[in-house]
Amino acid sequence: MDTELIKHYAFELHWHLPEEIQQVAIEWLITNTPRDQLALIFPPYSKSCWQNGMKVIEAIGYPHNETAFPRIVELFQDINWPGAKEAVLYFQTLDKTVVVPYIEAAGKQAIAECDWEWLYFLYMVCERLLMERADFKQMVVFDAMKDCYDKDA
């Protein structure tokens, strides 16, 4: 599949475009995006497409959409970003054991990048997903998220 065509439709998810264009893009992406290219649905510099991107991911469904999860947890860098709340709601429908590795990987990346705000929001997501320290293989990641949250609370 041509990645440029996927990117074209991903940008047509923009919420300021006419509803018909957005709907055509959603339906096209659901049907035509190869599972290994789902991350392209979330253009890095186009937050206005991310909320509709979550509609595509939800419609594709687990486990077919799992390749997008690393990109989805990046939405949690700010829980107020478009698509982040939808991502939390979607992750709530999945078993914790499916989601924890992606939250943990994002936490490790946030620690490496000294992104304390991302750690703060990741902890908020953990609370909403009823994740606990014992759910993590590397509990130090959970501890770092909680520490950032507690310092700001």
Side-chain angles (χ1 to χ4, degrees), residues 17-128:
L17 290 174
E19 191 69 34
E20 311 83 57
I21 291 175
Q22 294 176 50
Q23 194 57 43
V24 166
I26 289 169
E27 291 170 12
W28 190 93
L29 289 164
I30 290 168
T31 306
N32 296 294
T33 307
R35 302 311 173 229
D36 64 338
Q37 295 182 17
L38 288 173
L40 296 174
I41 293 172
F42 299 96
Y45 302 106
S46 190
K47 291 179 186 177
S48 52
C49 300
W50 297 348
Q51 194 167 10
N52 278 329
M54 278 308 303
K55 290 179 184 177
V56 173
I57 296 303
E58 288 179 60
I60 290 170
Y62 178 79
H64 308 291
N65 60 8
E66 192 171 5
T67 59
F69 289 8
R71 182 69 182 107
I72 290 171
V73 295
E74 290 178 7
L75 299 179
F76 302 144
Q77 289 178 6
D78 188 330
I79 201 71
N80 300 303
W81 281 352
K85 289 180 177 112
E86 291 79 5
V88 171
L89 292 172
Y90 177 66
F91 278 172
Q92 286 176 332
T93 69
L94 302 174
D95 190 278
K96 280 194 286 190
T97 60
V98 171
V99 180
V100 166
Y102 297 100
I103 300 289
E104 189 168 34
K108 287 173 23 181
Q109 183 179 347
I111 292 167
E113 295 174 6
C114 300
D115 191 336
W116 315 127
E117 188 172 291
W118 192 6
L119 288 169
Y120 174 90
F121 288 126
L122 284 170
Y123 183 77
M124 285 179 64
V125 170
C126 287
E127 283 192 322
R128 292 178 187 171

Side-chain angles (χ1 to χ4, degrees), residues 5-18:
L5 192 55
I6 295 167
K7 289 178 184 179
H8 166 79
Y9 279 101
F11 280 107
E12 288 193 350
L13 296 173
H14 194 290
W15 62 40
H16 287 138
L17 290 174

Side-chain angles (χ1 to χ4, degrees), residues 125-142:
V125 170
C126 287
E127 283 192 322
R128 292 178 187 171
L129 299 179
L130 305 176
M131 293 178 180
E132 300 173 347
R133 186 175 192 267
D135 296 319
F136 285 73
K137 287 184 180 177
Q138 295 184 5
M139 294 176 186
V140 67
V141 174
F142 182 87

